[in-house]
Every structure is written in structure tokens, then in C-alpha cells.
Amino acid sequence: MLDVIRWDSDLIRRYDLAGPRYTSYPTAVQFDTRTGAFDLLHALRDSRKAHRPLSLYVHIPFCANICYYCACNKVITKDRSRAQAYLQRLGNEIEMLGCHLAPDQVVEQLHLGGGTPTFLNHDELRQLMTRLRANFHLLDDDSGDYGIEIDPREADWSSMGLLRELGFNRVSLGVQDLDPAVQRAVNRLQSLEQTRAIVEAARTLQFRSVNIDLIYGLPLQTPQGFARTVDEIIALQPDRLSVFNYAHLPERFMPQRRIEQHDLPAPEQKLHMLQGTIEQLTRAGYRYIGMDHFALPDDELAIAQEEGTLQRNFQGYTTHGHCDLLGLGVSAISQIGDLYCQNSSDLNDYQTLLASDQLATKRGLVCHEDDRIRQAVIQQLICHFELDFSQIEAAFMIEFRGYFSEAWPRLVEMHHDGLIVLDDRGIRVLPAGRLLVRAVCMLFDRYLSPQTIQRFSRVI
């Protein structure tokens, strides 16, 4: 079965390296300022001509409180009025981009992320959704995948009712850990009761899916304590779980400087947490999708993986990889055909540009043929744990072993180590290698260097 994982401590010690998460290839590290608004408009024209469906991502950067572990693009403020100025400029962007798309380009997927999207009050959420519906073809029959990230401390039953009314049918809840000592160490006090209330509201209001985020490796965590958190979360029966490895990079993310290095669990303890979590979730019936993600067998991600249609993009694992992804808001990333582009990550700069009727696109890249070949290889490995050389050869008119001759010796080494099976027909990632699939993908990444690797978290 696809979800089988075999824990191999020796392999993990050898291959637990820093590397990309491959929500894109090339990764965002390769974006540069030679790509701008003109490229985005050109790509949107091609999207319109091809009548491709859409996935929209909307970034709401505000949070009322800072979580010390967080590496997201966010603005910490108690001043709720700041949302209005942002929504005004976000509305400008929505209108400026919406007019370049065709009415028949259906928005199959919508996701509001942050920050904390529920930082917005009810009127502001209505205002935003009205603007989106006026400029994009959003579905009204509840058949789209329309999700929103929720901080259970910022929501209640009335909030959930509003979100359902506005068309949302998926929610993702940040929890991280339920141990009060760990919560205090990361400045995120959140009771189990708060989380349970939102999950119950989602079930009662017939949201299609509930995802819960956990993080292992936080200060003061222990394997025993994290196991209790996982048990409590399993009892809530979320459809999906994301169990992330905390990457302590205080030199890059200033809030992490408030975390004491000596409070962090040792690497061996982190491995025990992950191993224990995998065992708990497997016993509870969850399948390992890959890259920290688990889902129940009847979830769309698990079904797509079984059917060989699962894909991965800036939204993470998705069943909508065939859509053009349009990112709206500060720091948002778009993927339109062969174009990747990202808005300014500075809130003031983003708002100033749009106030002067300019798009906020600041950097990106256009994929060439080699990028597309490697993208296809990495996509297959990271989503399905196997690769058929003949499919790549037929699609791109190459001879696989010759094209990737530089990677071949390392692939042979991984084969002998029991990470993969390598033969003349393809690659199959073994159960002992599935947790380390990023290490396999890295062999096909032509941009990796000692300098770029330092910018990524470790595989486990």
C-alpha cells in the first residue's frame, strides 16, 4: 500500500539533510527581479486563451499575537483598523487582475491564508468575498474546494456560520501542541476546548474537510507529551493532519530569537516524536501522503494518490494542480503556465504600488525546457514515490539515463542503501525511503548548491 512507511534510523541519520520542500521546481530561492508585472499579464492572457481553470490564494498577513516559531509573512498588530487599508489595496489588485481573465475560467480552488484570515471581522470577510465574486467566476454550488486557515482563538460558532454562508467548505486549524508549557514557550496559549469547539462547529455546519496542523521540535516538547497531543487530536478525527518539523532559523526569522536554544528537544527526541506520531496515526487509520501530510483513506488526497492524480504546488499537495494558481495579497505567489511570480513581501511597498495603480509583482522566473523536465520528475517522486522513465522520455524526447547521468551514481548508491529500487525502467521509493523522498528529489535539482541549501530546513 502507498501509505506504508518503514522506520530506518540508520538511513535517516545518513539522508536527513537540509533541502527544499518542492512546492515548486525551480524553488522560490531562484526567483529574481527580471520577472515582473508584464510577464504576469502576458501569462494571464495565455491562460485566458487556453480557458484554464483557476486556483486562487489570498494572503491576509495580520495576526493579533506573535507565535515565536512562525516563519510566515505576517504583521503583528492589535489595531484591527489596519485591515481596511489592506483590503482596499487587495481589492485594487483583484480588479486589475480579474479583468485579464475570461468569465468561463472557473475558480475550482480558493484558499485564504496568512497570517490569520479570521483577523478580519464579519463585514470585512463579506467585503472580500463580494469583491472576489464580482471579478472571478467562483462556484455557487459548493462543488469547489474553498478553504480558509483558522486560529481557533480568533473564531467562534458565528464565525464558522459566516464562513459557511460565504462558500467556504474546508478549514485548516493551527494547533501545534496542546501542552501548556510548550504553548507558553512559543507564546500561543490555546486550549483543547477552543479547538474542539471549532471542529464541532465545522462538522455541524457540514464543512467538507477539517485539517489540523501540529509541529514537533518546539521548545520543552518531549516524546511523551507530544504523544498525548497527537492522541487528543486523533480523538477529534480531522480528515487531514499536517505534522511539521520545526526548523529553528533565528538568523532568518526574528521571532524565533525569543526561543531559548537550550529548551529545544535534542535531535534524537525529535526523531522519537516523529516515529511515535507515525505509529499513532497509522494505528488510527491515517495514510501517509508524504512530506509531513496524513489523511484518512476516504479523503480526496488519499484517493488521488491511489489513482495517480495527486499533484503538488504552492498550496501543498493538491487535486487541482491542473489549475493556474493566482496569488493575491502581500508576498503571494502565482504559478500561471510556465511563469512563477511573487508579490512584494513588504506590506507598505505592496500597498503603495497598488495605490498608484501598479501591480505588486516583484520577482519570479519563467521555466524553460530543462526546468519542465526536472519538475515532472520531482512531481512524480514526491507525490507517488515512483517514476516511470518511459513516460518522461516520451513526454520530453530524452533518454533518461543519459540526461541525468550526473545523478546516476547517487541513485545507484541510494539503491544499494535500500532507499529506492533503481532499474532500467524506473525508480520506486521503498517504505524506508518515503520519509526521505526529498533527498531523492534533490538529485534532480540542478540549482542546489552549498549556498542555497543553507536556506532550507532539514528533511526530518
Side-chain angles (χ1 to χ4, degrees), residues 143-333:
S143 62
D145 283 343
Y146 292 177
I148 184 170
E149 296 171 11
I150 290 179
D151 182 341
R153 303 169 301 173
E154 289 271 342
D156 54 21
W157 270 75
S158 65
S159 303
M160 297 297 288
L162 172 70
L163 294 174
R164 196 70 184 93
E165 175 194 328
L166 293 175
F168 292 98
N169 50 33
R170 295 182 178 275
V171 290
S172 181
L173 312 181
V175 174
Q176 323 318 348
D177 195 299
L178 291 170
D179 186 327
V182 176
Q183 292 181 351
R184 282 191 293 272
V186 298
N187 198 43
R188 187 188 176 102
L189 292 172
Q190 178 179 323
S191 68
L192 174 61
E193 289 68 29
Q194 287 174 306
T195 301
R196 183 185 290 119
I198 298 303
V199 173
E200 290 176 352
R203 300 298 188 205
T204 302
L205 294 165
Q206 297 183 319
F207 280 77
R208 186 184 304 160
S209 174
V210 174
N211 174 81
I212 289 180
D213 290 342
L214 300 176
I215 298 179
Y216 68 96
L218 294 175
L220 304 185
Q221 278 182 332
T222 64
Q224 297 78 15
F226 195 65
R228 288 192 292 271
T229 286
V230 174
D231 279 336
E232 294 283 11
I233 295 303
I234 288 172
L236 298 179
Q237 292 189 298
D239 303 274
R240 300 174 184 175
L241 271 159
S242 302
V243 186
F244 296 109
N245 164 33
Y246 170 63
H248 190 58
L249 301 169
E251 65 282 0
R252 288 186 56 199
F253 305 110
M254 192 172 295
Q256 295 186 359
R257 296 174 191 175
R258 305 190 192 189
I259 291 176
E260 298 290 346
Q261 181 80 34
H262 60 76
D263 285 339
L264 295 173
E268 310 84 64
Q269 288 184 301
K270 288 182 69 175
L271 289 177
H272 286 317
M273 286 181 217
L274 178 59
Q275 183 178 10
T277 298
I278 291 169
E279 292 170 355
Q280 288 171 274
L281 293 177
T282 301
R283 286 196 300 269
Y286 287 88
R287 292 189 174 184
Y288 179 68
I289 302 299
M291 290 292 297
D292 318 313
H293 286 70
F294 299 80
L296 291 173
D298 60 352
D299 183 86
E300 291 176 10
L301 291 184
I303 294 170
Q305 191 172 59
E306 288 279 1
E307 295 177 346
T309 59
L310 185 68
Q311 293 173 286
R312 187 166 172 81
N313 63 15
F314 289 107
Q315 303 277 45
Y317 286 105
T318 179
T319 57
H320 297 278
H322 61 284
C323 296
D324 279 336
L325 170 60
L326 183 59
L328 302 162
V330 62
S331 76
I333 297 177

